[in-house]
Amino acid sequence: MKPLLSPSSSSVLGGTSLSCFYTLLAFILFVVILYSEDFLCIFGQGELVLTQPPISQTEKKQETTSLPFAIGRTEEGCDVFSGRWVRDELARPHYEESECPYIQPQLTCQEHGRPDKEYQKWRWQPHGCDLPSFNATLMLEALRGKRMMFVGDSLNRGQYVSMVCLLHRILPENAKSMETSQDQSLVVFRAKDYNATIEFNWAPFLLESNSDNAIVHRVAERMVKKGSINKHGKNWKGVDVLVFNTYLWWMTGQKMKFLSGSFDDEKKDIEELTTEEAYRVAMKSMLKWVRKNMDRNKTRVFFTSMSPLHIKSTEWGGEPGGNCYNETTLIEDPNYWGSESKSIMQVIGEEFSKSKYPITFLNITQLSNYRKDAHTSIYKKQWTPLTPEQLANPVSYADCVHWCLPGLQDTWNELLFAKLFYP
Ligand SMILES: *[C@@H]1O[C@H](CO)[C@@H](O)[C@H](O)[C@H]1NC(C)=O
Ligand SMILES: *[C@@H]1O[C@H](CO)[C@@H](O)[C@H](O)[C@H]1NC(C)=O
Ligand SMILES: *[C@@H]1O[C@H](CO)[C@@H](O)[C@H](O)[C@H]1NC(C)=O
Ligand SMILES: *[C@@H]1O[C@H](CO)[C@@H](O)[C@H](O)[C@H]1NC(C)=O
Ligand SMILES: *[C@@H]1O[C@H](CO)[C@@H](O)[C@H](O)[C@H]1NC(C)=O
């Protein structure tokens, strides 16, 4: 397997112009220094080819209509993740940014001065069929007396908030509440009349790690603990619909450190794994946890694939030195694939196809890849004041990882809705 490259690696510099490199470096510094929400490093260009059949095919082997929550099925042979974006001025966005008080200030782009709204007006159109319309009443009825939980990193938190925004509108003010635990690792939205909760659990690696503090998680060297799924898993017990993600945090560009003892041990017992090996360990642990703790006749488990970044405009044929900043149009090449790791996609495919519990895969990577326009860019709350140098060069502090709400992540939830009710 091709190792992921570190930013200082000469092979990154080799094929890249110096200005590109500085933009990249600036971005990394920005993320490391300023962005306390999340953290990432540079990706290698995994060129491995998917040898595993797409998961939608494996899933089809199962009796999809007998899955819990199913009320129908998607047309035979229609892969809802394969399609195109179409303008929809009438029915998009699903809600206005100002109508949803739950969006964190890192995602409220209009409030932070984004001049255009075009990114809100796209609808995903699968090639083989139409998506069912998102129906908040149906969703809440299905969740009556139940719990839905999103587990993962800040990208999953974005999808979580989008789901809350899509649902809360039909509830009167006194029939809903939103609570965040003191350490912010658990967030619970409650629809009182339905006795239903939509929850979020911060667990960027799913396994226990030294980045588990939902507020302060910038660490010099990320480390994950072996066999530790129950650390977070105890929060997931009894949940009826689980939605996992994990990706960005594994992409350190270096080998991943796996700890065998405790984080407090003075002399730590550490093993180093490649990104793919480490990610596979996490997938295996998660699937084992699901098999042991979830009842396939009553519950559903979803897994959201890698959320793509747009940090290097040359990837889509733009001018060197740019990123998602000032991007308002979509990438039109249907085969466009940025820097997301195909080898990680392959690991997901391999491990899920072995799972006895039917996992529903939300394959959002390709469709989100086209959306260089949909990131928060510079239109978000900044954690520390920007320097005059930064202000003079907006590319240097644009966030090309997270997504404005309303926006792209509402589509991820439309796909979740489609797969929950019409597998
Ligand atoms: C995800 O969707 C893309 C686009 O339809 C497809 O090319 C790819 O094979 C899918 N991946 C998996 C693992 O199903
Ligand atoms: C939404 O779902 C509810 C409950 O199943 C149903 O009564 C209603 O007709 C649906 N609305 C639309 C627009 O389909
Ligand atoms: C409310 O939902 C919880 C599950 O979230 C369930 O355990 C409890 O029995 C429900 N209460 C009522 C009154 O239905
Ligand atoms: C799940 O449902 C199947 C078929 O209806 C049944 O054979 C099986 O015993 C059930 N499993 C559990 C754990 O209830
Ligand atoms: C933003 O893009 C527009 C058109 O794509 C261009 O005219 C303008 O100069 C760009 N602005 C900046 C600050 O890069």
Side-chain angles (χ1 to χ4, degrees):
M1 245 162 233
K2 204 170 158 187
L4 294 164
L5 302 170
S6 73
S8 59
S9 157
S10 58
S11 33
V12 165
L13 280 175
T16 318
S17 81
L18 213 56
S19 71
C20 247
F21 171 71
Y22 282 125
T23 310
L24 232 47
L25 192 67
F27 180 79
I28 296 160
L29 285 177
F30 152 67
V31 170
V32 173
I33 296 165
L34 287 181
Y35 199 62
S36 81
E37 266 291 276
D38 219 330
F39 182 90
L40 77 151
C41 268
I42 290 310
F43 295 15
Q45 317 267 328
E47 295 301 339
L48 290 173
V49 180
L50 264 180
T51 52
Q52 210 57 28
I55 289 167
S56 46
Q57 281 174 29
T58 15
E59 204 183 55
K60 214 156 281 153
K61 284 194 220 119
Q62 272 129 17
E63 274 296 320
T64 46
T65 40
S66 69
L67 285 174
F69 296 93
I71 58 172
R73 62 191 309 169
T74 298
E75 269 170 60
E76 197 70 40
C78 175
D79 175 2
V80 293
F81 304 105
S82 169
R84 64 199 165 88
W85 290 101
V86 296
R87 294 287 290 167
D88 190 341
E89 304 270 352
L90 291 176
R92 296 293 179 280
H94 285 283
Y95 53 91
E96 289 298 325
E97 183 185 290
S98 56
E99 286 167 7
C100 185
Y102 310 106
I103 311 174
Q104 57 271 54
Q106 295 88 278
L107 305 182
T108 48
C109 298
Q110 293 297 315
E111 188 190 342
H112 291 93
R114 182 158 176 166
D116 63 308
K117 274 190 167 179
E118 301 309 295
Y119 64 94
Q120 300 181 348
K121 296 176 185 161
W122 295 94
R123 176 170 63 76
W124 181 247
Q125 177 62 56
H127 289 311
C129 54
D130 290 332
L131 285 180
S133 318
F134 190 94
N135 182 333
T137 311
L138 178 58
M139 187 66 132
L140 283 168
E141 283 296 347
L143 291 175
R144 193 178 279 280
K146 294 193 164 70
R147 297 169 66 195
M148 175 185 237
M149 186 187 268
F150 291 75
V151 177
D153 60 24
S154 62
L155 288 152
N156 214 23
R157 184 160 54 202
Q159 187 178 352
Y160 165 71
V161 171
S162 154
M163 179 63 88
V164 171
C165 291
L166 288 166
L167 296 178
H168 92 100
R169 291 180 303 158
I170 64 165
L171 303 169
E173 210 48 56
N174 58 357
K176 57 193 172 190
S177 67
M178 181 75 130
E179 282 163 51
T180 303
S181 67
Q182 190 137 39
D183 65 3
Q184 294 185 19
S185 66
L186 288 168
V187 186
V188 180
F189 176 80
R190 200 175 295 278
K192 291 177 187 163
D193 297 340
Y194 291 88
N195 185 30
T197 56
I198 326 284
E199 310 175 35
F200 172 74
N201 180 205
W202 171 260
F205 291 96
L206 304 184
L207 300 174
E208 181 178 0
S209 77
N210 61 352
S211 305
D212 285 346
N213 186 313
I215 307 161
V216 187
H217 45 233
R218 278 180 279 144
V219 294
E221 191 173 54
R222 283 175 236 177
M223 216 183 282
V224 174
K225 190 167 148 181
K226 271 202 168 156
S228 63
I229 192 95
N230 287 322
K231 159 86 191 305
H232 299 300
K234 65 179 189 304
N235 299 321
W236 318 335
K237 286 200 174 161
V239 170
D240 300 279
V241 181
L242 266 175
V243 187
F244 289 111
N245 94 326
T246 185
Y247 171 61
L248 258 193
W249 288 69
W250 299 94
M251 302 292 121
T252 59
Q254 284 148 18
K255 287 206 162 187
M256 194 72 213
K257 292 194 163 49
F258 262 85
L259 178 75
S260 290
S262 153
F263 281 104
D264 302 327
D265 291 347
E266 202 146 307
K267 195 168 177 310
K268 291 191 174 54
D269 180 2
I270 289 169
E271 186 188 349
E272 293 198 352
L273 301 180
T274 65
T275 306
E276 287 78 10
E277 287 166 346
Y279 196 84
R280 193 182 297 278
V281 169
M283 289 299 103
K284 282 185 188 296
S285 302
M286 177 195 75
L287 292 169
K288 188 171 166 203
W289 186 93
V290 164
R291 183 162 45 82
K292 284 170 101 174
N293 293 282
M294 300 293 278
D295 175 352
R296 55 176 288 171
N297 289 351
K298 294 202 180 95
T299 62
R300 292 283 295 278
V301 175
F302 292 83
F303 187 90
T304 308
S305 63
M306 306 98 81
S307 173
L309 321 182
H310 294 90
I311 59 174
K312 199 171 156 189
S313 48
T314 49
E315 284 177 351
W316 56 86
E319 292 293 314
N323 58 20
C324 73
Y325 169 67
N326 201 25
E327 291 289 351
T328 52
T329 56
L330 276 58
I331 292 171
E332 282 172 17
D333 173 7
N335 298 315
Y336 175 78
W337 184 272
S339 53
E340 273 48 64
S341 168
K342 289 194 172 167
S343 53
I344 290 293
M345 194 66 126
Q346 189 177 359
V347 170
I348 299 172
E350 285 166 5
E351 293 306 320
F352 283 20
S353 64
K354 289 189 239 162
S355 169
K356 292 203 187 73
Y357 185 106
I359 307 273
T360 307
F361 186 55
L362 294 181
N363 182 4
I364 53 84
T365 309
Q366 181 71 59
L367 65 94
S368 306
N369 251 317
Y370 307 131
R371 296 302 307 274
K372 63 179 164 59
D373 63 314
H375 290 285
T376 50
S377 184
I378 62 169
Y379 308 110
K380 56 180 278 186
K381 181 180 175 176
Q382 303 296 337
W383 290 94
T384 46
L386 297 164
T387 64
E389 290 75 25
Q390 285 175 317
L391 286 168
N393 180 17
V395 166
S396 70
Y397 67 98
D399 176 349
C400 301
V401 176
H402 299 88
W403 311 96
C404 302
L405 282 184
L408 172 67
Q409 292 191 300
D410 301 320
T411 297
W412 298 4
N413 282 321
E414 288 179 74
L415 290 160
L416 170 58
F417 178 91
K419 284 289 182 182
L420 183 65
F421 295 113
Y422 306 92

